[in-house]
C-alpha cells in the first residue's frame, strides 16, 4: 500500500500522537496503535491550536440562558470565538478525508458525550 492510497484520518492529537492533554498526558489506545501503519493521520489538538498551553487549566462547555459557551473556569476566559474560528479555518484547509477519530467527552473534540455544565443564573 502506498502513502497515497492510505485512508486519511483526522485524529485527536492526544490519542497516541503527543502528550497535549490539559494535564500534559497522552492517552494510549490499542486501536489507534494497530491502525497507525494503515492510515495517514492528520493530528489536531484544538485547545493547543487556540493558544492554550500544556499543561493548562481545563475548559468546559457551559450552558447559560440556552447558549453553550466554551469557558476556562480557572481564568473566566470565554474561548468560544477562538475555537469557532480555529474549527472553521482548520476544516476549510482539509482536502478529502476518510474519517475522524476524536477524543470522546472532550469539550473541544467530543461529539455527543461532552458534559455541559450549567451556570447559576443571576
Amino acid at each position: 500500500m502506498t502513502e497515497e492510497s492510505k485512508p486519511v484520518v483526522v485524529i485527536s492529537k492526544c490519542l497516541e500522537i503527543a502528550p497535549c492533554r490539559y494535564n500534559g498526558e497522552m492517552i494510549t489506545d490499542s486501536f489507534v496503535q494497530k491502525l497507525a501503519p494503515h492510515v495517514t493521520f492528520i493530528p489536531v489538538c484544538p485547545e493547543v491550536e487556540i493558544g492554550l498551553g500544556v499543561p493548562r487549566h481545563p475548559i468546559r462547555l457551559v450552558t447559560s440562558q440556552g447558549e453553550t459557551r466554551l469557558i476556562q473556569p480557572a481564568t473566566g476566559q470565554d474561548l468560544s470565538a477562538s475555537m469557532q474560528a480555529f474549527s472553521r479555518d482548520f476544516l476549510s484547509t482539509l482536502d478529502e478525508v476518510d474519517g475522524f477519530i476524536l477524543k470522546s467527552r472532550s469539550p473541544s473534540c467530543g461529539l455527543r458525550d461532552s458534559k455541559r455544565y450549567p451556570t447559576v443564573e443571576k
Side-chain angles (χ1 to χ4, degrees):
M1 180 176 279
T2 66
E3 199 66 27
E4 295 83 34
S5 65
K6 288 183 177 182
V8 176
V9 177
V10 176
I11 186 169
S12 292
K13 192 181 276 188
C14 64
L15 298 174
E16 286 291 337
I17 307 292
C20 62
R21 289 189 53 139
Y22 73 96
N23 58 4
E25 294 180 1
M26 178 177 69
I27 298 169
T28 57
D29 187 286
S30 61
F31 175 74
V32 172
Q33 291 172 359
K34 291 174 187 172
L35 188 62
H38 308 287
V39 302
T40 299
F41 283 134
I42 299 175
V44 63
C45 177
E47 295 171 31
V48 169
E49 294 296 332
I50 65 168
L52 299 178
V54 178
R56 61 185 164 273
H57 294 292
I59 60 176
R60 290 182 169 180
L61 294 170
V62 177
T63 302
S64 177
Q65 299 176 351
E67 182 179 22
T68 301
R69 309 291 298 171
L70 188 63
I71 306 293
Q72 191 174 48
T75 64
Q77 195 173 10
D78 184 334
L79 303 163
S80 304
S82 297
M83 187 61 74
Q84 289 168 353
F86 164 73
S87 299
R88 188 175 40 256
D89 293 346
F90 174 73
L91 292 171
S92 72
T93 66
L94 294 177
D95 290 326
E96 197 169 313
V97 298
D98 298 294
F100 290 78
I101 300 175
L102 302 174
K103 171 64 180 88
S104 66
R105 296 188 305 271
S106 164
S108 61
C109 290
L111 298 177
R112 292 185 184 97
D113 59 357
S114 299
K115 186 171 182 176
R116 282 162 177 74
Y117 295 83
T119 58
V120 178
E121 303 294 332
K122 295 181 183 175

